[in-house]
Amino acid sequence: MAAISETSGHAGPRFSWPSRKRIGIGLTAFILPVALLVLWWVASDRGWLAEQILPSPVFVYETARDMIASGEILYHTAVSLRRVVIGFAIGAALGLSLGVAMGLSERVEDYVKPLFLAFAQIPTLGWIPLLMLLVGIDETLKIIVIAKGALVPMALNTFTGIRNVSPRYLEVGHALRFSRWQRLRLIVLPGAVPSIFTGIRYGLTHSWTSLVGVELLASSEGLGYLLVWGRQMFWLDTVIVAMIAIGLVGFIMDKSLNNTETLIQRWKKGEA
């Protein structure tokens, strides 16, 4: 009986160690943060700036440890995340619907897109003074501002993704006598998934930055509030801890979406 080659047949998933190039890139990414940390340490140790202006890394670490142990930083982070989840869900849903409508109908595009583009040119925080007069400074204001931050990139990227779907795919759907709903579900939306995910990532980023901005102006809780409170009390260690928390949460959300997109779009590797 002939010997069976080890490379024949269906090979299961194998573990592969990261390449030296990937490891090198990963290590390079830490050079600048470590250099800044060392510079911060030296500046505070030698008193280049007053401790009230630039607290030492050890003092900031102790403050972060105390805020984690007391649950203060976790509470404010949870408040901010809850607002982002609600506002982003509303804004993304509206943006997706609007983008689909403009992408599928030239008439809707002609009527809606010019006004929408004018609406999009106004910065999200620029709406806050008007919204304060209309809805006050409670949670409704924050949800609207966050939703607007997600709506614009979601709508534009969805519209672009739908318009960039290859006409050949639509011709196949027409040949198969797909209904309008079937073309949308089986051809248009799957073809627009990469652009839609881009809209989700940008929308979530804008929602997060909009949240911090609106909490800076009108809030009594949340990470943005911690920044304002720390500045007012001249607790620069609290300000730095809040900044680190904002950066970490934003990075984790963006990285999670990036990994999710890679997982969903795994089929694209077969096209290479």
Side-chain angles (χ1 to χ4, degrees):
M1 181 180 295
I4 300 177
S5 174
E6 292 181 358
T7 58
S8 63
H10 177 71
R14 296 181 180 179
F15 174 80
S16 60
W17 292 100
S19 64
R20 291 183 179 180
K21 181 179 179 181
R22 181 173 299 180
I23 294 176
I25 294 175
L27 293 177
T28 302
F30 286 96
I31 293 178
L32 182 58
V34 171
L36 291 176
L37 181 61
V38 171
L39 179 61
W40 176 15
W41 192 295
V42 172
S44 62
D45 182 64
R46 298 192 177 184
W48 291 349
L49 291 173
E51 187 175 351
Q52 293 80 4
I53 299 177
L54 184 67
S56 69
V58 175
F59 188 40
V60 173
Y61 167 76
E62 293 173 349
T63 300
R65 183 187 59 191
D66 294 340
M67 293 178 72
I68 293 174
S70 66
E72 181 182 6
I73 190 69
L74 300 178
Y75 169 75
H76 289 289
T77 301
V79 170
S80 295
L81 284 175
R82 176 179 56 81
R83 290 168 175 165
V84 165
V85 169
I86 297 174
F88 173 75
I90 295 173
L94 293 175
L96 179 65
S97 301
L98 183 59
V100 170
M102 291 192 299
L104 295 178
S105 173
E106 293 184 359
R107 178 172 296 182
V108 173
E109 178 188 0
D110 292 338
Y111 279 107
V112 176
K113 190 177 179 181
L115 179 60
F116 176 76
L117 291 178
F119 168 81
Q121 296 306 312
I122 303 176
T124 301
L125 298 182
W127 290 94
I128 291 181
L130 176 62
L131 292 173
M132 281 182 174
L133 297 175
L134 297 176
V135 300
I137 61 173
D138 294 331
E139 289 298 301
T140 303
L141 169 68
K142 301 171 185 62
I143 298 303
I144 292 176
V145 170
I146 296 169
K148 193 270 180 183
L151 186 148
V152 173
M154 192 68 188
L156 292 178
N157 281 278
T158 301
F159 167 77
T160 302
I162 290 177
R163 286 300 173 90
N164 287 338
V165 173
S166 175
R168 292 178 298 176
Y169 297 151
L170 299 176
E171 292 174 2
V172 172
H174 181 73
L176 295 175
R177 297 183 179 180
F178 281 175
S179 65
R180 187 179 183 87
W181 167 246
Q182 287 177 318
R183 290 197 300 269
L184 175 63
R185 182 172 59 89
L186 300 176
I187 300 176
V188 175
L189 288 182
V193 162
S195 292
I196 292 175
F197 255 97
T198 300
I200 291 175
R201 290 184 64 184
Y202 280 114
L204 188 58
T205 299
H206 289 181
S207 293
W208 186 243
T209 55
S210 298
L211 162 79
V212 175
V214 74
E215 285 182 344
L216 285 171
L217 298 176
S219 184
S220 59
E221 51 188 1
L223 293 174
Y225 163 75
L226 272 184
L227 291 175
V228 175
W229 178 250
R231 179 186 61 80
Q232 291 176 344
M233 303 301 295
F234 229 75
W235 295 340
L236 272 300
D237 53 323
T238 300
V239 173
I240 294 175
V241 171
M243 291 171 61
I244 293 173
I246 291 169
L248 283 177
V249 172
F251 175 79
I252 291 172
M253 289 191 300
D254 184 74
K255 193 67 175 178
S256 299
L257 281 176
N258 183 39
N259 292 338
T260 302
E261 181 181 7
T262 301
L263 182 64
I264 292 177
Q265 294 296 311
R266 206 185 310 177
W267 56 269
K268 294 177 68 175
K269 295 181 180 180
E271 297 180 355

